[in-house]
Structure formats: structure tokens, C-alpha cells
């Protein structure tokens, strides 16, 4: 069965607060990310860091969640990726916790595709969540600490899975992103390659 990793370890410096606990439709952003993922995973690992205690309080009612803390969160997101990957022993989904609009159907489409690395796309733009086969766990853990998820991903053949899910591109990095989310203004969002 597939496992899940949600990254929630950063400083959220551009959002000027812990963006994981900001509310969208009266629910914390990270809970939206978990709710979309959890039905397709045996367990979801949330990697915390700078805002560990605040995030932990929000997650106390989720039965399939395990929280692990990245003590080296100051080294960047890839350090949190590695902390999460050390906790999995099967194929896994991975997404930052600040993607509250990913649809459940996207997880199903990506899960039903084939390939060692699968990435959902919207209008040919790659987004989250990534699916990574358990065959690549040791390779990822042996990746240089100064690497990043995109560099690792691009070393392998990627299966792009086209979806109708604009939410795969909509992360909350700044105060303006959060305001745009709350007002549901239709504007272009960042397209990850």
C-alpha cells in the first residue's frame, strides 16, 4: 500500500506566519492537504520543523497521521524530504502541506498510472503530489544534502498524469497567495516544471 509524506517544516517567512495553520473555509490549510491524501495511504507522515508545536496541536485528531520533527529544518525543504522518506518502506506520495486545493481524484489518477515517478499535470504544468516508487527510496536518501526534490526527480523517467485539477499548482507561499485563496480570485498560479 502507498504511504504519504506531507512537508510542514519551514519558516513560512514569506507568509509572515505559520501558513499550515491558517484557515481556508474554517479548516487549517494542512488539514486540507491531509484530507485529500489520507484515503489513498496506509499512513501519512507529517514532517514538522520550525512550527512543530503549533502544527502538532492542529493534527491531534487524525488517526492515520504520524508526526516527525526535522531538527535540521533550517537546512531547507530537502532535509525535510529526507526525514520523511526515512519513515517510509513502500511507494509514497509526497507534497508540501501548503497545497490545500489538491483534489482526491488526483491522488486516484496518479496512483492508477504507472512509472517510478509520477507527477500530476494541469494544462501540461507539473504540480503536486509526487508519487515515488519504493525502488527509489535508497537513491533519494543517498542524494546529496545540497540537492533538491526537482533535481532528484529529473534524474529519472517521469510519468506525467494529466488532470483537471488546478489545485496541484496552487501553493500558499505569501500573504497575497493566502488572500487570493480566501477570496477565490481566478489568477495564474506558479507553474512548477
Amino acid at each position: 500500500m502507498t504511504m504519504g509524506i506531507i512537508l510542514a517544516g519551514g519558516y513560512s517567512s514569506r507568509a509572515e506566519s505559520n501558513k499550515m495553520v491558517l484557515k481556508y473555509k474554517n479548516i487549517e490549510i494542512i488539514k486540507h492537504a491531509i484530507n485529500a491524501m489520507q484515503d489513498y495511504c496506509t499512513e501519512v507522515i507529517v514532517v514538522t520543523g520550525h512550527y512543530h508545536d503549533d502544527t502538532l496541536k492542529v493534527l491531534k485528531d487524525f488517526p492515520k497521521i504520524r508526526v516527525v520533527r526535522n531538527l535540521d529544518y533550517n537546512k531547507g525543504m530537502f532535509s525535510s524530504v529526507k526525514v520523511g522518506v526515512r519513515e517510509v518502506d513502500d511507494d509514497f506520495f509526497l507534497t508540501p502541506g501548503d497545497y490545500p486545493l489538491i483534489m482526491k481524484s488526483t491522488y486516484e489518477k496518479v496512483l492508477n498510472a504507472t512509472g517510478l515517478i509520477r507527477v500530476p499535470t494541469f494544462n501540461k504544468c507539473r504540480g503536486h503530489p509526487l508519487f515515488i516508487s519504493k525502488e527509489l527510496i535508497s537513491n533519494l536518501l543517498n542524494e546529496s544534502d545540497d540537492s533538491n526534490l526537482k533535481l532528484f526527480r529529473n534524474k529519472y523517467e517521469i510519468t506525467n498524469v494529466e488532470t483537471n485539477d488546478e489545485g496541484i499548482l496552487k501553493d500558499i507561499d505569501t500573504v497575497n497567495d493566502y488572500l487570493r485563496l480566501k477570496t477565490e480570485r481566478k489568477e495564474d498560479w506558479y507553474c512548477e516544471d
Side-chain angles (χ1 to χ4, degrees):
M1 282 290 292
T2 306
M3 300 179 77
I5 299 171
I6 293 181
L7 305 173
Y11 289 100
S12 300
S13 54
R14 288 183 287 170
E16 301 173 12
S17 66
N18 180 5
K19 60 188 175 182
M20 298 300 163
V21 300
L22 295 175
K23 292 194 176 183
Y24 170 61
K25 295 187 175 179
N26 295 317
I27 298 173
E28 291 85 353
I29 284 175
I30 193 167
K31 285 185 178 180
H32 287 279
I34 293 167
N35 285 333
M37 177 188 278
Q38 68 181 351
D39 289 348
Y40 301 95
C41 299
T42 54
E43 181 179 38
V44 175
I45 294 143
V46 177
V47 183
T48 63
H50 184 68
Y51 292 106
H52 173 76
D53 293 335
D54 290 342
T55 306
L56 193 60
K57 286 177 195 170
V58 168
L59 302 179
K60 65 181 186 293
D61 298 327
F62 282 95
K64 292 189 339 184
I65 299 301
R66 184 158 45 101
V67 177
V68 294
R69 187 174 191 179
N70 176 12
L71 298 176
D72 294 321
Y73 60 86
N74 60 320
K75 293 182 179 176
M77 186 166 70
F78 199 59
S79 67
S80 289
V81 169
K82 285 188 166 186
V83 166
V85 172
R86 283 188 197 101
E87 302 295 321
V88 299
D89 57 7
D90 212 332
D91 301 340
F92 61 94
F93 284 109
L94 187 148
T95 190
D98 62 350
Y99 280 78
L101 300 178
I102 298 172
M103 295 164 41
K104 287 186 175 195
S105 59
T106 295
Y107 282 94
E108 188 171 356
K109 279 186 181 179
V110 173
L111 189 60
N112 290 330
T114 58
L116 294 178
I117 295 183
R118 306 171 206 164
V119 181
T121 60
F122 177 78
N123 289 338
K124 299 186 180 176
C125 290
R126 290 177 175 157
H128 284 284
L130 272 66
F131 173 97
I132 300 176
S133 169
K134 63 184 174 186
E135 295 172 41
L136 298 179
I137 290 174
S138 61
N139 296 24
L140 196 153
L141 292 176
N142 289 322
E143 185 81 2
S144 169
D145 288 343
D146 61 1
S147 186
N148 62 57
L149 196 54
K150 187 185 288 187
L151 287 174
F152 173 78
R153 178 197 75 184
N154 290 345
K155 291 180 179 182
Y156 302 92
E157 184 176 335
I158 300 167
T159 301
N160 293 317
V161 182
E162 185 63 23
T163 71
N164 63 349
D165 185 359
E166 201 176 355
I168 68 168
L169 307 176
K170 295 184 175 183
D171 62 331
I172 310 303
D173 282 333
T174 66
V175 173
N176 283 341
D177 290 342
Y178 179 58
L179 294 175
R180 192 168 28 164
L181 174 72
K182 284 181 66 171
T183 59
E184 299 181 352
R185 291 195 313 250
K186 294 288 183 185
E187 297 177 29
D188 290 334
W189 290 68
Y190 174 69
C191 179
E192 181 177 316
D193 182 25

